[in-house]
Every structure is written in C-alpha cells, then in structure tokens.
Amino acid sequence: MYHHIKKLMYTVNVGTPDPRFGNMLLEQFGGANGELAAAMQYSVQGLNCEDPERKDLLMDIGTEELSHLEVVGTLARMHLKPLKHKNGNAAADDPLIAIAGGGGVSLSNSMGDAWTADYLKITGELDVDLRSNIAAEARAKIVYERLLNYCDDPGSKDALQFLMTREITHMKAFKLALESLGKNPFSIGKIPPTPGLVNQYFDDSTGVGDQGEQNARGPWNQGGDWEIVESPALAQGVENFESSHGKGAEGESRATTRNRKTA
C-alpha cells in the first residue's frame, strides 16, 4: 500500500530557472538511469523475491526512488517554468517541451525519447538482480555528478548532491545484501561452467594499435588459474576451436598455440 505525503523528501529551492538545465534534469526523471526506472526495477524485483529479508530491502529502496522521482520532477518543473509562459526566447530553447509538454515534465529523457520498460533489468534471480542494481546506482551517481557540473544554482546543487549521495547509500546496501547471501561471486544459476574453458582468457585484441596500444597483462588474465589462449579466432576460427577443444594433447595442438599458466 502506498501513501503520498504532501512533502518532498528533500526541499527544493531554485533561484534562477534555467529551461536548458531543466531539460537535462529529465534524464533523471524519465531516462534509462533515472529515478522512475530505478523505482520500477527494484519494486518489481521485490514483488518477485521469495526471500523476505531482501524483499524488504528492495521494497524500501524502490519506494525511496519514487520519492526521488518527485524531487527530480519538482526540480525540473521549476527550471522549466519559463516555458509555460509566452516567452519566445525561452520556448526556443526547447520547443518540444514548450509546445508538446506545455513547459512541464513528462515521461521522457532529455532527448525527448519516451520512457520504456526496456530500461529495467529484472531476471528473477536475486543475486543477478542485486548485481544489476549495484550497476544501476553507479550509473545514476555518474549522471547526477554530470548534472552538478552543469549547474550554477545553489539550491539545485544542494538537491542534486542529496540525490547523488543516496545512490552510494543504495549501492552499499545492495552490495552487502549480495554478500550476505554467502554465494561464490562467480556462482551464477545452477548449471556449472565447463571446467578448463572457464579459466581460458582469449587474447582477441592483438598487435600494436594506432596510438601504440599493446597487449596488456593483469590479474584479469594472468596468475592463479588463468590460461592465455592466443587469438583462437585468428588461428582457425571459433567453430573449429570449439570442436577440437577438450580432445587431449592432439585436440589442443589443433586448436591453437597456447601460453600455459603464468605466475
């Protein structure tokens, strides 16, 4: 059950309205990384969740995102207010909002593209969904940071700073919820990966680039169980590589030249 209280989660004050900035704010109202998408994603995940404790987390944060949507919408509406009046110069800044939207907010992003449920990442697997949520909060944080860089109004910046900070709060909560499941971070679903193949790193970006880029080595492709496989696609094609994989020394020699494990 939802109940609307006629008070913003964070009070919004705008000194000088800026319709162009108001348009930018729509990215966090009806955009791919915006508050509506976050609210719907977490709430639907919560409805699907059979874990009562994590369900509570998802519903708590999904509901808070609706409050954030109200803050962003109010902030955007205040900046777009000049477009509600017969001000030719202001309307020229964004005729789509001035004419089609009457100078108010709508479920679209800063480019006028309509909000879509395709923005939502919902799999029905709790650990997978929590990973998606961590990434969603990270993307939203960056959008708020960029909005702050384009904002000169002190009151607007205060509200954006609040919203940006809450993204980190939610990221922390989702991360800890994921860790509390006690699962191996690479244990996704129930079907295990193919042994051996799962530890092979395909060196598919080779040579020296136009800017002098060279092949790189790091913990993502060396040490531990990693095995470097030198450009299997160039050696004989992925299909042939896959068909000959796992046939012992003979199959290995047909597949490609390999560098064995490196320390």
Side-chain angles (χ1 to χ4, degrees), residues 65-146:
E65 300 292 10
L66 287 173
S67 298
H68 292 181
L69 181 71
E70 187 178 25
V71 173
V72 173
T74 301
L75 187 61
R77 180 182 58 80
M78 293 170 74
H79 277 284
L80 294 172
K81 190 173 182 179
L83 299 183
K84 279 188 165 289
H85 307 291
K86 296 178 180 179
N87 184 327
N89 293 331
D93 287 336
D94 200 314
L96 177 65
I97 294 177
I99 304 303
V105 298
S106 61
L107 292 183
S108 60
N109 63 13
S110 59
M111 300 299 293
D113 300 320
W115 187 89
T116 169
D118 287 341
Y119 292 153
L120 309 186
K121 303 295 183 288
I122 301 166
T123 68
E125 291 288 337
L126 180 57
D127 59 323
V128 177
D129 284 344
L130 288 172
R131 288 184 175 89
S132 294
N133 297 351
I134 293 168
E137 295 294 328
R139 289 191 296 267
K141 194 274 182 185
I142 289 299
V143 175
Y144 277 124
E145 187 171 305
R146 291 171 179 168

Side-chain angles (χ1 to χ4, degrees), residues 22-213:
N23 186 17
M24 294 181 194
L25 286 168
L26 292 180
E27 197 62 40
Q28 280 303 87
F29 190 78
N33 302 306
E35 301 295 353
L36 178 62
M40 293 298 98
Q41 178 165 309
Y42 307 156
S43 296
V44 176
Q45 287 175 356
L47 290 173
N48 289 331
C49 186
E50 296 178 352
D51 180 323
E53 294 178 337
R54 281 80 183 178
K55 179 185 181 78
D56 186 59
L57 164 71
L58 291 165
M59 299 308 291
D60 279 343
I61 297 182
T63 303
E64 182 180 343
E65 300 292 10
L66 287 173
S67 298
H68 292 181
L69 181 71
E70 187 178 25
V71 173
V72 173
T74 301
L75 187 61
R77 180 182 58 80
M78 293 170 74
H79 277 284
L80 294 172
K81 190 173 182 179
L83 299 183
K84 279 188 165 289
H85 307 291
K86 296 178 180 179
N87 184 327
N89 293 331
D93 287 336
D94 200 314
L96 177 65
I97 294 177
I99 304 303
V105 298
S106 61
L107 292 183
S108 60
N109 63 13
S110 59
M111 300 299 293
D113 300 320
W115 187 89
T116 169
D118 287 341
Y119 292 153
L120 309 186
K121 303 295 183 288
I122 301 166
T123 68
E125 291 288 337
L126 180 57
D127 59 323
V128 177
D129 284 344
L130 288 172
R131 288 184 175 89
S132 294
N133 297 351
I134 293 168
E137 295 294 328
R139 289 191 296 267
K141 194 274 182 185
I142 289 299
V143 175
Y144 277 124
E145 187 171 305
R146 291 171 179 168
L147 286 169
L148 279 164
N149 289 335
Y150 283 100
C151 182
D152 295 322
D153 180 68
S156 299
K157 295 183 79 167
D158 287 344
L160 292 173
Q161 179 70 31
F162 167 80
L163 293 165
M164 183 187 72
T165 299
R166 294 303 297 170
E167 306 298 338
I168 300 299
T169 304
H170 296 167
M171 189 187 302
K172 288 172 58 179
F174 287 136
K175 176 180 179 292
L176 293 170
L178 177 61
E179 292 175 352
S180 71
L181 293 175
K183 294 185 63 176
N184 184 309
F186 302 114
S187 176
I188 308 298
K190 296 180 175 61
I191 301 175
T194 303
L197 181 63
V198 71
N199 295 322
Q200 290 177 342
Y201 183 94
F202 290 0
D203 187 20
D204 282 336
S205 178
T206 60
V208 179
D210 294 338
Q211 304 300 320
E213 308 98 318

Side-chain angles (χ1 to χ4, degrees), residues 202-204 229-241 255-256:
F202 290 0
D203 187 20
D204 282 336
V229 178
E230 294 183 354
S231 195
L234 290 180
Q236 61 176 26
V238 173
E239 294 84 358
N240 291 332
F241 174 79
T256 186

